[in-house]
Amino acid sequence: MTDDVFSELDFRDVYVRIETDLLVIGDSILTDRHHASSGNYEADDPQNQIGGIIPAFPLSGWLRHGMENVIHELNGTACHPGEANANFMKDEIYGRDLDNGYHKKGSCTEVPKEDDGCVIFELFGGFGGIPGKVMRRPVKFSPVRSSVDYTRGQAEGHYRRLTRTIVSRNREDNREPLRNTELDAVANLDGAWHLSFRETKPEFIGLLTESIDFLDAHKTDFMHQLGGARNFGAGIVDCALINPLYDERELTRVFDRGKKSTEKMAEKDEQWSGEYLPAFVAALEERIEREQ
């Protein structure tokens, strides 16, 4: 059944819906207007209601973390995310990682350009100059909903620069300000994250679906939140794989708040959950078992 599905349909491009009230990215948020050199930035100025880009780096790490946990739950091991030739200063921590569901990076393949290695190695690459087979794109966001193209992996979101004043805790100082800190953040983000596969395999789709479900179920766990500054509520993400059987019109309809799913979309949902997805998850389980 799995081979028939892949011969009939193209799974090279898939979309993950991401919704969050607040997102703070440690690897920076790129805005579409340069304002850092100006001392005139005012958050409530209409000209500063601007869009930008969320880099793929933190999104990629978040997704990989979810995938690794799914593999661990299937009693498999994943390539360690550290560099293969790194001089780890905290050997005890590295050793515990290897004892808790990881193997040394690249140790799962003898010839990186010919062997697939483990499924994480194949998807993310990063050893011996081998690129991963899943391309993680940045998410472009805009506060203007009508300008968002969900079929290109874009999102509605509102850029904000948050300022926090750090004050003295000594009672006699009467909360004397010590310093100010600034954070770039995106509020009310809702959109699609576009992932592209250089090569598609059933286990890739199975792992992606299970991983997104895992991250959604554990979104309030600190370790599975996205981005930085998670201590004050940022990074709690509602996420779901958008049914890969949808066409572009149906994908856009997912984000249209004035429209409901069509009967055709409901049929595709049943087809996906009852027929396609179980075959892909079975392929993933077989792959993990073979890797042991």
Side-chain angles (χ1 to χ4, degrees):
M1 180 271 175
T2 305
D3 293 337
D4 293 340
V5 169
F6 266 72
S7 65
E8 295 172 1
L9 299 171
D10 183 6
F11 289 96
R12 290 188 180 274
D13 294 291
V14 295
Y15 299 85
V16 176
R17 184 172 189 176
I18 293 178
E19 299 176 86
T20 182
D21 295 332
L22 185 64
L23 191 61
V24 177
I25 297 298
D27 292 321
S28 78
I29 293 170
L30 310 178
T31 62
D32 58 14
R33 188 172 73 86
H34 182 69
H35 54 70
S37 62
S38 172
N40 299 321
Y41 178 86
E42 296 179 6
D44 57 355
D45 186 333
Q47 292 188 11
N48 286 321
Q49 310 305 304
I50 57 181
I53 290 175
I54 299 170
F57 301 110
L59 291 163
S60 177
W62 172 70
L63 175 63
R64 175 170 177 150
H65 194 49
M67 288 185 168
E68 291 170 353
N69 277 270
V70 170
I71 290 172
H72 295 163
E73 289 187 346
L74 293 174
N75 298 317
T77 64
C79 269
H80 194 278
E83 294 297 327
N85 59 349
N87 180 16
F88 291 97
M89 297 180 65
K90 297 183 178 179
D91 285 336
E92 291 183 3
I93 295 177
Y94 180 56
R96 286 202 299 269
D97 284 346
L98 298 182
D99 292 335
N100 291 312
Y102 292 91
H103 53 258
K104 292 183 178 180
K105 190 170 188 175
S107 66
C108 53
T109 177
E110 294 183 3
V111 185
K113 292 186 178 181
E114 298 178 9
D115 299 341
D116 290 336
C118 72
V119 66
I120 289 293
F121 176 89
E122 194 172 6
L123 284 171
F124 290 89
F127 176 72
I130 307 302
K133 290 182 180 176
V134 59
M135 292 180 285
R136 292 84 69 191
R137 302 167 186 259
V139 174
K140 182 179 180 181
F141 64 89
S142 170
V144 183
R145 190 184 313 164
S146 60
S147 69
V148 176
D149 185 351
Y150 299 103
T151 64
R152 296 184 62 190
Q154 298 179 6
E156 178 184 358
H158 303 267
Y159 172 78
R160 294 290 183 268
R161 176 172 289 177
L162 308 180
T163 301
R164 295 183 64 196
T165 301
I166 309 300
V167 301
S168 173
R169 299 297 179 88
N170 295 321
R171 182 175 298 178
E172 59 270 22
D173 291 336
N174 295 316
R175 297 182 61 81
E176 177 72 20
L178 300 178
R179 66 183 185 277
N180 292 329
T181 60
E182 292 185 339
L183 293 171
D184 287 346
V186 180
N188 304 319
L189 184 76
D190 184 9
W193 183 26
H194 184 187
L195 301 172
S196 297
F197 292 99
R198 303 178 197 273
E199 176 186 344
T200 55
K201 293 184 178 181
E203 58 265 36
F204 292 171
I205 305 299
L207 179 56
L208 174 62
T209 306
E210 293 290 282
S211 303
I212 294 300
D213 287 347
F214 176 90
L215 289 168
D216 188 65
H218 293 82
K219 59 194 169 192
T220 57
D221 296 351
F222 183 83
M223 290 296 293
H224 303 294
Q225 292 168 25
L226 174 60
R230 289 173 284 180
N231 280 327
F232 70 95
I236 299 174
V237 175
D238 294 306
C239 55
L241 180 68
I242 297 175
N243 191 334
L245 303 180
Y246 288 170
D247 59 29
E248 286 192 3
R249 180 184 59 82
E250 291 167 333
L251 188 151
T252 302
R253 192 181 183 95
V254 169
F255 298 93
D256 192 329
R257 299 167 191 174
K259 297 179 180 179
K260 297 181 179 180
S261 295
T262 63
E263 290 185 7
K264 187 67 174 178
M265 291 171 69
E267 291 175 3
K268 289 183 177 180
D269 288 343
E270 291 183 7
Q271 191 177 22
W272 172 254
S273 61
E275 181 181 351
Y276 291 70
L277 182 57
F280 298 155
V281 173
L284 170 65
E285 293 172 347
E286 292 173 5
R287 170 76 180 263
I288 299 302
E289 187 175 352
R290 290 198 307 268
E291 292 176 356
Q292 302 315 305

